Amino acid sequence: MSVEAIAVKMGRLQLANPAVLASGVHGSSLSKVLDAIRFGAGGAVTKSIGPRPREGNREPTLVEVDSGMVNAAGLPNPGAERFAEELRAVRGKRLPILVSIFGADEEEFQGVARALDDNDFIAFELNLSCPHVAGVGTEIGHDPELVGKVVKSVKRATGKPVFAKLSPNTERLVEVARAAVDAGADGLTAVNTIRAFPIDVETGRQALSNGFGGLSGGAIRPVALRCVYELREEFEVPIMGCGGVSSWEHAIQFFLAGADAVQIGTATITKFAMFNELNLGIISYLERKGIPRLDELVGAAHRSGAPGDGVGEAG
Ligand SMILES: Cc1cc2nc3c(=O)[nH]c(=O)nc-3n(C[C@H](O)[C@H](O)[C@H](O)COP(=O)(O)O)c2cc1C
């Protein structure tokens, strides 16, 4: 089976393979995004970029927990203008970079999109879902009306595909997603981190300077899978699954739930060069199950029968 079998077509967005670096985990410099692509990722999402430079929170901003970590980085980033300069350096290289952006309201989102749009990258991802930054995170991502406004205003600023990255911290997941899709979102990313509050037993106090943070890693995979499954029940738009992927088996779980591609964040901290391994695992699973192409597996958990049953048969 050739690598062609795992090429991904998500509307106008085409990726050579479904393993994508998730936003933000390696900081705001573009170099790690480029490294991920060099190491075989089918795409890579930048740190979320806002309207102006932002330092982020005081240390400690990261705590390890069972099967994951809690971060409250605070969206440190160089701001749209400086990041546009970084992007100019890779002009003409046709790299599968997705640019993540955030803002406090639809005008800020639109301003950031305009400042960055005139560069070579393949899509925007809207961070509507950071659980630990007041005013720009879940306040937006839990409000369907605001999400609709943000997506509409970004769509007006760009001809590039726009993915809305959703929060798992709301009962209104499907409602928020519908607002994004109705406003013209080309796809959904599910999900961002889960709001958490780690405590240090020695100090007896909050472990993160910010108190609240976002849980990521293996601990959140079943929740992320549930979100993707719920979204695929309702929508036909492309979905990138995100949350706790660290092996090809996890990626397959997301495809079965309905994701067209997966994003990998926390697991790349300890194993950056995992994209090729993931892709090889996916290819050998497809071979073993007699499934000719990855897109035939997408959403199979919603259908009856085991993966591969009846695939490729005439009639
Ligand atoms: C240190 C750290 C920084 C992150 N920064 C961002 C960010 O800037 N924008 C964003 O949309 N998500 C950000 N995320 C969330 C990840 O992109 C991803 O949605 C989440 O961690 C779940 O995936 P994972 O379990 O594979 O890490 C960050 C996660 C971590 C751990």
Side-chain angles (χ1 to χ4, degrees):
M1 183 177 276
S2 79
V3 287
E4 287 289 295
I6 58 164
V8 176
K9 190 169 177 323
M10 297 188 284
R12 287 177 292 140
L13 195 61
Q14 304 204 20
L15 306 179
N17 69 67
V20 174
L21 177 71
S23 175
V25 178
H26 297 283
S28 60
S29 134
L30 197 58
S31 67
K32 278 288 185 181
V33 167
L34 303 181
D35 281 349
I37 294 167
R38 216 170 292 133
F39 276 109
V45 189
T46 68
K47 177 82 191 161
S48 295
I49 304 299
R52 59 198 76 86
R54 197 182 151 101
E55 288 216 339
N57 292 329
R58 235 173 347 103
E59 298 288 333
T61 57
L62 209 62
V63 174
E64 255 187 70
V65 296
D66 311 338
S67 306
M69 59 171 55
V70 184
N71 95 84
L75 294 174
N77 80 96
E81 228 166 87
R82 275 244 319 271
F83 197 69
E85 279 167 34
E86 277 198 64
L87 281 175
R88 278 196 271 284
V90 296
R91 261 206 185 139
K93 299 201 167 151
R94 301 169 63 87
L95 297 170
I97 299 170
L98 294 89
V99 173
S100 170
I101 61 173
F102 73 91
D105 54 30
E106 68 269 27
E107 271 128 46
E108 281 198 358
F109 266 95
Q110 189 179 58
V112 177
R114 281 199 203 287
L116 297 169
D117 190 46
D118 181 30
N119 284 290
D120 284 346
F121 57 94
I122 57 172
F124 277 108
E125 184 176 83
L126 311 183
N127 182 356
L128 304 163
S129 45
C130 181
H132 60 267
V133 179
V136 298
T138 47
E139 278 91 341
I140 291 177
H142 293 183
D143 179 345
E145 199 183 325
L146 197 45
V147 164
K149 281 187 191 162
V150 167
V151 171
K152 236 180 230 151
S153 70
V154 172
K155 287 291 288 184
R156 253 183 251 127
T158 181
K160 292 182 164 76
V162 173
F163 274 65
K165 184 169 181 182
L166 303 172
S167 166
N169 302 306
T170 171
E171 281 297 304
R172 306 173 82 186
L173 175 77
V174 169
E175 228 183 300
V176 170
R178 192 171 314 284
V181 171
D182 288 349
D186 299 87
L188 303 168
T189 301
V191 285
N192 210 314
T193 52
I194 295 180
R195 192 164 154 85
F197 194 97
I199 289 184
D200 182 328
V201 290
E202 292 309 324
T203 62
R205 305 213 6 103
Q206 62 193 46
L208 293 167
S209 72
N210 188 60
F212 294 95
L215 177 63
S216 65
I220 75 167
R221 196 172 59 258
V223 177
L225 283 168
R226 183 267 297 169
C227 293
V228 169
Y229 189 91
E230 281 189 338
L231 293 169
R232 184 50 80 209
E233 284 281 291
E234 298 288 330
F235 304 103
E236 286 183 3
V237 296
I239 298 175
M240 285 191 269
C242 181
V245 174
S246 63
S247 71
W248 65 264
E249 289 95 332
H250 302 155
I252 297 287
Q253 290 175 334
F254 275 94
F255 303 140
L256 291 166
D260 300 276
V262 287
Q263 294 189 359
I264 309 131
T266 302
T268 64
I269 293 174
T270 46
K271 196 172 182 188
F272 191 74
M274 66 181 313
F275 303 100
N276 280 335
E277 196 180 302
L278 206 86
N279 286 326
L280 289 175
I282 295 166
I283 289 174
S284 63
Y285 176 85
L286 293 177
E287 273 173 351
R288 185 156 54 80
K289 294 285 184 185
I291 301 172
R293 293 187 48 84
L294 174 59
D295 50 17
E296 296 188 21
L297 186 69
V298 171
H302 299 257
R303 305 187 281 270
S304 58
D309 282 359
V311 170
E313 287 168 9

